[in-house]
Amino acid sequence: MELRVRELQQLFNSLDPSPFLTKDLARSAESYIESWALPLARGSRLQLTIHVEQLDSTEAASDLMAEAIHNHYGYKADLVRAELRQMLRQGRTSLAIGMAFVAACLLAAEVLTHPAQGAAGSIARESLTIIGWVAMWRPVQIFLYDWWPVVGRIHGYDNLKFARVVVVNAAQGERSPEEAG
């Protein structure tokens, strides 16, 4: 993947007062990088080449940018891992509540199985059965569908955390020593 910027500061959030290596990437740069990298398979070997128009030293810039990008995406991977843990914790809690509610609804439906209760009893029994199973919707959704896109984001951020970062002086067509060798 290749990026072109006038100066390296364009890649970072100008409102972030943090030192250079821990600054947040600018939203536009982050979105561009992620749109390219997140769909790739886990363990993909990525290279990000940054063409900079105003640059003094490509070697120092490559090292600096590699560390900044690796720190940024390592942090994002940690945040998404915490999000996954929270989602799975919510899923376990929802599952416990849902199972208790399903059991209560099915027990109540069994009480209404007397044939003497007629159509009203049958409707109530079926309604309780349906309501009980609908209560399981959220935990089933979490454990069947919601977790795997989050894991995919973690893999994408891990790929970016270990991506090779090369800075090129666009004005001179100069390459960093890592890229030349």
Side-chain angles (χ1 to χ4, degrees):
M1 175 184 160
E2 298 195 16
L3 284 171
R4 293 191 182 282
V5 293
R6 198 170 35 264
E7 58 186 9
L8 288 177
Q9 289 294 0
Q10 284 181 278
L11 295 174
F12 295 95
N13 182 351
S14 61
L15 299 176
D16 187 352
S18 304
F20 192 69
L21 292 177
T22 59
K23 278 181 157 300
D24 287 336
L25 288 179
R27 251 358 239 146
S28 57
E30 183 180 58
S31 295
Y32 182 74
I33 291 169
E34 290 174 14
S35 69
W36 163 75
L38 291 183
L40 299 175
R42 179 182 189 181
S44 295
R45 296 175 48 100
L46 307 179
Q47 177 171 319
L48 174 61
T49 303
I50 305 168
H51 299 269
V52 184
E53 292 176 14
Q54 299 171 4
L55 185 65
D56 295 331
S57 166
T58 56
E59 185 175 347
S62 285
D63 293 342
L64 188 67
M65 286 307 299
E67 189 171 350
I69 286 173
H70 296 165
N71 287 343
H72 180 77
Y73 284 107
Y75 176 70
K76 285 195 77 165
D78 291 343
L79 287 178
V80 177
R81 281 186 181 89
E83 177 186 332
L84 179 63
R85 282 191 301 275
Q86 175 63 29
M87 177 189 299
L88 294 176
R89 184 177 19 254
Q90 179 187 9
R92 288 188 299 272
T93 302
S94 298
L95 182 62
I97 293 168
M99 294 295 283
F101 189 73
V102 162
C105 286
L106 293 177
L107 286 173
E110 278 299 313
V111 171
L112 300 174
T113 58
H114 295 50
Q117 293 176 337
S122 180
I123 291 171
R125 182 180 64 247
E126 292 302 319
S127 296
L128 284 168
T129 302
I130 291 168
I131 289 169
W133 287 111
V134 166
M136 293 297 294
W137 185 302
R138 183 66 182 137
V140 168
Q141 180 181 347
I142 289 171
F143 290 122
L144 288 181
Y145 305 111
D146 289 352
W147 67 273
W148 56 269
V150 177
V151 170
R153 285 191 359 239
I154 291 169
H155 295 317
Y157 292 149
D158 282 343
N159 285 345
L160 286 164
K161 179 180 173 182
F162 297 108
R164 183 170 179 226
V165 178
V166 177
V167 175
V168 176
N169 189 331
Q172 299 173 358
E174 180 183 329
R175 294 175 169 243
S176 71
E178 298 87 27
E179 189 176 43

